[in-house]
Amino acid sequence: EAGVTQFPSHSVIEKGQTVTLRCDPISGHDNLYWYRRVMGKEIKFLLHFVKESKQDESGMPNNRFLAERTGGTYSTLKVQPAELEDSGVYFCASSQVGQGVNSPLHFGNGTRLTVT
Amino acid sequence: AQSVTQPDIHITVSEGASLELRCNYSYGATPYLFWYVQSPGQGLQLLLKYFSGDTLVQGIKGFEAEFKRSQSSFNLRKPSVHWSDAAEYFCAVLGRGGLTGGGNKLTFGTGTQLKVEL
């Protein structure tokens, strides 16, 4: 079984530029999550998709962040325009729907974003 | 709102020594509790979890954790550390109301970086 795949693994951009992160969940996983870890801080929830629908986006920091999951498969997270404080590691995770807490989260390796 | 505290940012142990990583949580009731590990260049991997029942839970790679309600703690332990255990460890909680859409919205601690001396 292929795991959760994130692309790119690293991205370095200048302040004001746009970056798009991609996540391919495990096939058949309808739950998809984005988390972020800013340097030295805790990993924080950003949002949760069930299929193509945003179930909970309470963790999105501001309207410079846009997440999509067209067709309910892969997801993208766009940051536009990027600011210095957006630097960090962005994790994607997926799980099956219907098993509640018994469905473990499978995490990708993360995308390390550096805004200079 | 729930929160997680991992008081140790860095810990260094010798290979073969025992290990205990501390985790304290804040939540009004008994939460679901997790420990994850992130090895260099890897994603987060679930080590173990506590939902209910026996307060001592066994996980992968020889790790165990004990839930202590009176101390709001869920410390991770391993009797004998191997060099390959060097990684960053995260404690996480899920409130029992956090099952929106059948999913898992976790609250993580800041992590503990484990270094193993040979």
Side-chain angles (χ1 to χ4, degrees):
Chain A
E1 168 183 87
V4 176
T5 306
Q6 292 188 245
F7 182 84
S9 57
H10 293 84
S11 180
V12 181
I13 62 172
E14 293 182 353
K15 176 182 173 180
Q17 289 185 323
T18 298
V19 63
T20 301
L21 313 181
R22 173 169 170 147
C23 169
D24 287 76
I26 292 173
S27 178
H29 282 193
D30 288 336
N31 281 320
L32 188 148
Y33 304 81
W34 285 97
Y35 284 82
R36 176 175 76 168
R37 188 185 190 199
V38 172
M39 181 71 73
K41 303 283 190 180
E42 67 272 28
I43 301 169
K44 283 193 171 181
F45 168 85
L46 295 179
L47 87 159
H48 169 210
F49 284 99
V50 177
K51 296 185 179 178
E52 67 276 8
S53 299
K54 291 178 185 175
Q55 192 74 21
D56 182 348
E57 51 184 332
S58 60
M60 295 287 266
N62 52 60
N63 59 10
R64 295 185 293 103
F65 289 75
L66 176 63
E68 295 180 318
R69 193 182 182 194
T70 306
T73 54
Y74 71 90
S75 174
T76 58
L77 180 64
K78 180 188 287 187
V79 185
Q80 179 182 30
E83 298 289 345
L84 298 178
E85 64 264 25
D86 300 333
S87 296
V89 180
Y90 290 76
F91 291 101
C92 176
S94 70
S95 70
Q96 293 180 315
V97 168
Q99 300 179 30
V101 71
N102 288 309
S103 180
L105 285 184
H106 296 261
F107 281 85
N109 290 353
T111 293
R112 181 175 295 278
L113 174 64
T114 303
V115 182
T116 61
Chain B
Q2 60 237 33
S3 66
V4 177
T5 301
Q6 293 181 248
D8 304 306
I9 299 173
H10 298 278
I11 282 186
T12 300
V13 298
S14 299
E15 189 175 37
S18 64
L19 171 70
E20 183 169 30
L21 302 182
R22 295 183 290 166
C23 172
N24 292 94
Y25 68 88
S26 174
Y27 184 65
T30 301
Y32 300 115
L33 296 159
F34 306 81
W35 274 99
Y36 284 86
V37 60
Q38 185 182 19
S39 299
Q42 303 295 313
L44 293 163
Q45 181 182 23
L46 180 65
L47 282 176
L48 48 78
K49 58 190 178 186
Y50 172 78
F51 291 167
S52 64
D54 192 345
T55 56
L56 184 64
V57 293
Q58 303 296 320
I60 61 171
K61 304 185 179 187
F63 284 92
E64 66 178 26
E66 186 172 12
F67 168 61
K68 292 186 177 180
R69 184 192 307 274
S70 61
Q71 298 176 20
S72 296
S73 69
F74 189 57
N75 294 348
L76 181 71
R77 300 195 294 249
K78 187 169 184 178
S80 177
V81 169
H82 188 263
W83 64 266
S84 61
D85 293 325
E88 192 159 19
Y89 292 79
F90 296 91
C91 181
V93 301
L94 174 67
R96 299 213 172 214
L99 295 173
T100 304
N104 295 264
K105 179 179 172 180
L106 296 168
T107 298
F108 286 88
T110 51
T112 297
Q113 185 73 48
L114 174 65
K115 179 180 176 182
V116 180
E117 290 182 332
L118 300 176

